[in-house]
Amino acid sequence: MQHKIPLGRYGAAGAHMAQAVETCVHCGFCLPACPTYRVLGEEMDSPRGRIFLMKEVLEGSLAPDEAAPFVDRCLGCMACVTACPSGVRYGELLVPFRDHAEQHRRRPIGERVLRRVVMATLPHPGRFRLAAWAGRLAGPLAHILPSRLQAMVELLPSSLPSALPLPEVVPAQGTRRARVALLSGCVQEVLAPEINRATLRVLSRNGIETVISKEQGCCGALPMHAGEAKLARALARRNLAAFPPDVDAVVTNAAGCGSAMREYGLLFAGHPEAPTAEALARRVRDVSDFLAEVGIVPSGSLGAGVRVAYHDPCHLAHAQGVREAPRRLLSTVANLSLLEPEEWEICCGSAGIYNLEQPDIAQDLGRRKAHNLLATGAEVVATGNVGCIVQIRAHLARLGRSLPVLHTMEILDRAYSGLPLA
């Protein structure tokens, strides 16, 4: 496909976008892998349809507002990247396109206000904790809220865990085999702080020293994937200098955060910080991937045996290409039977603020994922992303099946400690 995209108009991202457009041969392999195409069945709600629309906008043949409804419905799950035989780098088109479109479209004032409130809240743990607390108080009145806010309130846990500060260094047990820095995250530290604590214990148990920089902040994933690149860069700049250079890796335990940090080169393309951003991106590893590479010590037993279904987070399996590592780690646990759900490649519907902006599709996908996980006969669900945990837990509960939904690191931690999963 020959493009007529005026590359200079789009700065350093123009070449990335043009390359993605040119690579697509419109073969259709992406269609069955796309969650929105599965739900809606419309060509323009598929990756190849969106690529056509984005091409038209970039060439000036179509107004951003005309393409917006279809591009907005994209989860950014990157399942199309896994399915594509031509190697289309869809993320390198979608992320800068959304940034461009946000600057040239006119959202209704209600949407603009809601977005600003969300972007000013979620990346900051203190603000988010206060907002989540207020949301829980409003729970009995959720039915009178707009549908978008109802969907968010319904995902909140019944109570929030206590806020406990993380140590600055967690030493390795025994001989030190490696030294890493951990991204502590923002939303996760409010909704599921035990994930970080379990991660630190598992790393330590395996001879890995962990540094938790107090200078770090939000990775910027939320605004980056929502077309707010300027805000994403403002948040991400803290991290460019926050992590020490003398570590073997910067590890993440939230798939969305890890994916965003590995895209820092794209985010800062054409900006003075680009070399530093690219260098940091190369050091970022998901904790499961890092541990699988260095190898882990044998874990304990979970008792009489437990059936665990593993859910692939989109930004781990598709965006980062990490599928086997968490399975290898879980397979080291004695008496754990690992089960594979149908439609592993289909998103659970979490995807950042997708529940807020596309609540109907998010709920459809959440139900679908919950049914597929239950069909395995699992007693526990394992995954590697806090957004997936919250979404799956909520939809299992709606089906009357409140199975434990745990991070891979939590399962390993309990196996090492001899604690039950339930």
Side-chain angles (χ1 to χ4, degrees), residues 5 148 168 184 186 243 288 330 370 395:
I5 298 173
R148 293 181 176 184
E168 292 190 32
S184 57
C186 39
F243 300 105
S288 67
L330 290 169
H395 282 278

Side-chain angles (χ1 to χ4, degrees), residues 97-410:
F97 177 84
R98 279 182 163 167
D99 177 47
H100 164 73
E102 285 302 317
Q103 298 175 44
H104 296 87
R105 64 183 291 190
R106 300 188 64 177
R107 286 183 179 272
I109 187 168
E111 287 186 18
R112 295 202 304 271
V113 170
L114 193 56
R115 270 193 156 222
R116 288 184 182 180
V117 170
V118 169
M119 296 298 173
T121 302
L122 293 186
H124 305 278
R127 298 178 195 172
F128 178 51
R129 178 174 290 278
L130 183 61
W133 178 78
R136 289 315 312 165
L137 287 181
L141 302 176
H143 63 283
I144 68 171
L145 296 173
S147 61
R148 293 181 176 184
L149 287 179
Q150 281 183 41
M152 294 297 286
V153 169
E154 288 170 2
L155 288 173
L156 292 171
S158 56
S159 61
L160 294 178
S162 300
L164 296 172
L166 289 166
E168 292 190 32
V169 178
V170 175
Q173 292 183 28
T175 302
R176 192 177 83 178
R177 303 166 60 214
R179 186 169 185 264
V180 301
L182 174 70
L183 176 78
S184 57
C186 39
V187 169
Q188 181 172 277
E189 267 297 280
V190 175
L191 296 181
E194 183 55 26
I195 293 175
N196 276 339
R197 279 72 184 168
T199 299
L200 293 171
R201 289 191 291 268
V202 170
L203 288 168
S204 178
R205 179 70 176 80
N206 285 281
I208 300 169
E209 179 180 281
T210 308
V211 179
I212 306 96
S213 170
K214 299 300 181 185
E215 303 304 315
Q216 66 177 292
C218 174
C219 67
L222 191 70
M224 184 194 308
H225 295 143
E228 305 282 352
K230 184 177 180 181
L231 174 58
R233 282 190 291 270
L235 292 169
R237 282 190 180 97
R238 283 186 63 179
N239 294 326
L240 298 185
F243 300 105
D246 58 339
V247 294
D248 298 296
V250 176
V251 299
T252 63
N253 54 17
C257 297
S259 173
M261 292 185 73
R262 293 178 69 169
E263 294 174 349
Y264 274 4
L266 178 64
L267 179 65
F268 285 96
H271 292 263
E273 305 94 335
T276 305
E278 291 168 0
L280 176 57
R282 288 192 293 269
R283 300 165 66 203
V284 174
R285 301 279 299 280
D286 185 79
V287 65
S288 67
D289 192 36
F290 184 80
L291 280 170
E293 180 181 285
V294 302
I296 65 172
V297 299
S299 56
S301 169
L302 290 170
V306 63
R307 299 189 302 276
V308 177
Y310 181 76
H311 160 70
D312 284 278
C314 296
H315 281 92
L316 189 57
H318 301 308
Q320 299 185 62
V322 176
R323 288 199 70 219
E324 294 306 315
R327 289 169 170 82
R328 284 169 55 192
L329 297 180
L330 290 169
S331 68
T332 67
V333 178
N335 298 327
L336 186 151
S337 299
L338 195 58
L339 307 171
E340 300 290 341
E342 293 291 325
E343 299 184 339
W344 70 266
E345 74 280 9
I346 299 298
C347 182
C348 68
S350 177
I353 60 173
Y354 201 81
N355 271 292
L356 181 66
E357 298 198 318
Q358 306 289 338
D360 293 338
I361 300 174
Q363 289 192 34
D364 192 303
L365 291 171
R367 278 194 305 272
R368 187 175 189 140
K369 182 62 66 175
H371 280 295
N372 282 330
L373 289 166
L374 289 172
T376 65
E379 301 163 281
V380 176
V381 176
T383 189
N385 186 61
V386 66
C388 301
I389 290 172
V390 171
Q391 175 83 335
I392 292 170
R393 189 177 285 159
H395 282 278
L396 287 173
R398 288 173 189 173
L399 295 175
R401 297 290 302 278
S402 298
L403 303 185
V405 184
L406 301 172
H407 194 283
T408 302
M409 295 299 112
E410 293 182 288

